[in-house]
Amino acid sequence: NENVSMDYSIKHPLQNCWTLWYFENDRNQSWEKNQREIASFDTVEDFWSLYNHIKPASELKQGTDYSLFKKGIRPMWEDAANKKGGRWLISLEKKQRTNDLDRYWLDIILCLIGEAFENSDEVCGAVVNIRYKGDKIGVWTGDASKGAAVLEIGRKLKERLHISNRITIGYEVHKDTMDKTGSSSKYSYSV
Amino acid sequence: GTKIVYERNFLLNLRNSP
């Protein structure tokens, strides 16, 4: 940029306060109890001091998740802020854990905390699932019926992650996922 | 009010600020 000197005594405030969650599957406890809040932050500097000292997603154990949600929204479908919503789903191939996973997850976080989406009010949070069969990243929005907003977020996501136009990503409505009985069509939107 | 928006590079540049 230009020759702007930074005043490091002032932290840069974020539009929203965000909470990082960690999920680890302990069968002796309920699913909800296995979701643990790690920390919340509302400045750029506090975000980095958290991010710089936690493990990157690619080094987590299989079966675990990180979730980053606006403070007050729990990373689950049942939360009032999520129950009418859905998620843009990015399914990664196994080999992408080494190539793309950490870059995608960080770029998604930067989109969230930097309010990169025009319709960022619609964004609830994002989840990364570390799984043997292939990792997944979801960007959760609060109202699946707001098609224009959902599509804007999906398009911006693809652009920011440099996902090729040959690859299509889909948006799943949480309610459909919950009610899923067979292999009926999965995605309500795709970009 | 105005939304506080940060560019990706701006955020990355603050990663190792003191």
Side-chain angles (χ1 to χ4, degrees):
Chain A
N1 283 2
E2 297 88 47
N3 205 6
V4 181
S5 66
M6 293 264 191
D7 182 352
Y8 289 115
S9 63
I10 301 172
K11 290 182 181 180
H12 294 77
L14 299 174
Q15 175 70 23
N16 285 288
C17 186
W18 297 87
T19 303
L20 182 70
W21 300 72
Y22 174 70
F23 173 87
E24 189 173 315
N25 197 14
D26 171 355
R27 275 153 212 220
N28 301 315
Q29 288 206 45
S30 67
W31 184 88
E32 201 168 335
K33 280 229 168 98
N34 287 328
Q35 282 284 5
R36 275 175 254 160
E37 264 187 73
I38 301 177
S40 297
F41 56 85
D42 61 4
T43 68
V44 179
E45 287 76 3
D46 290 347
F47 160 66
W48 285 122
S49 53
L50 174 63
Y51 186 85
N52 286 341
H53 92 257
I54 59 172
K55 280 187 184 175
S58 61
E59 289 176 24
L60 294 181
K61 287 191 275 187
Q62 315 278 6
T64 60
D65 305 334
Y66 276 141
S67 302
L68 184 74
F69 275 74
K70 287 175 180 167
K71 190 179 170 68
I73 305 179
R74 294 167 304 150
M76 49 194 76
W77 299 332
E78 297 85 348
D79 192 279
N82 294 321
K83 66 180 176 195
K84 288 192 295 174
R87 62 170 178 172
W88 281 109
L89 181 63
I90 298 162
S91 297
L92 290 91
E93 293 171 39
K94 278 188 184 187
K95 65 177 182 207
Q96 288 182 283
R97 185 176 295 170
T98 20
N99 300 330
D100 297 322
L101 178 69
D102 292 332
R103 178 173 68 83
Y104 280 5
W105 178 238
L106 178 57
D107 273 337
I108 285 173
I109 294 175
L110 298 182
C111 285
L112 263 49
I113 69 174
E115 308 284 333
F117 307 106
E118 265 173 61
N119 294 283
S120 61
D121 286 351
E122 286 298 312
V123 173
C124 297
V127 181
V128 56
N129 308 119
I130 305 304
R131 299 293 183 271
Y132 175 74
K133 288 192 289 184
D135 306 320
K136 289 179 184 178
I137 301 179
V139 174
W140 291 35
T141 74
D143 190 341
S145 71
K146 293 190 178 171
V150 169
L151 285 166
E152 182 267 325
I153 291 165
R155 289 191 194 106
K156 177 60 72 71
L157 198 56
K158 260 185 99 167
E159 177 195 316
R160 289 283 296 251
L161 299 183
H162 304 291
I163 294 176
S164 154
N165 279 330
R166 284 171 287 131
I167 292 168
T168 300
I169 61 169
Y171 183 90
E172 284 178 337
V173 175
H174 295 321
K175 192 173 177 307
D176 295 347
T177 312
M178 278 187 272
D179 297 345
K180 193 162 56 186
T181 48
S183 55
S184 54
S185 97
K186 228 175 126 149
Y187 298 127
S188 301
Y189 306 98
S190 52
V191 292
Chain B
T2 322
K3 191 159 75 174
I4 307 172
V5 176
Y6 294 112
E7 302 274 348
R8 178 178 183 273
N9 285 341
F10 183 87
L11 293 169
L12 288 169
N13 285 337
L14 286 173
R15 180 164 191 172
N16 294 309
S17 66

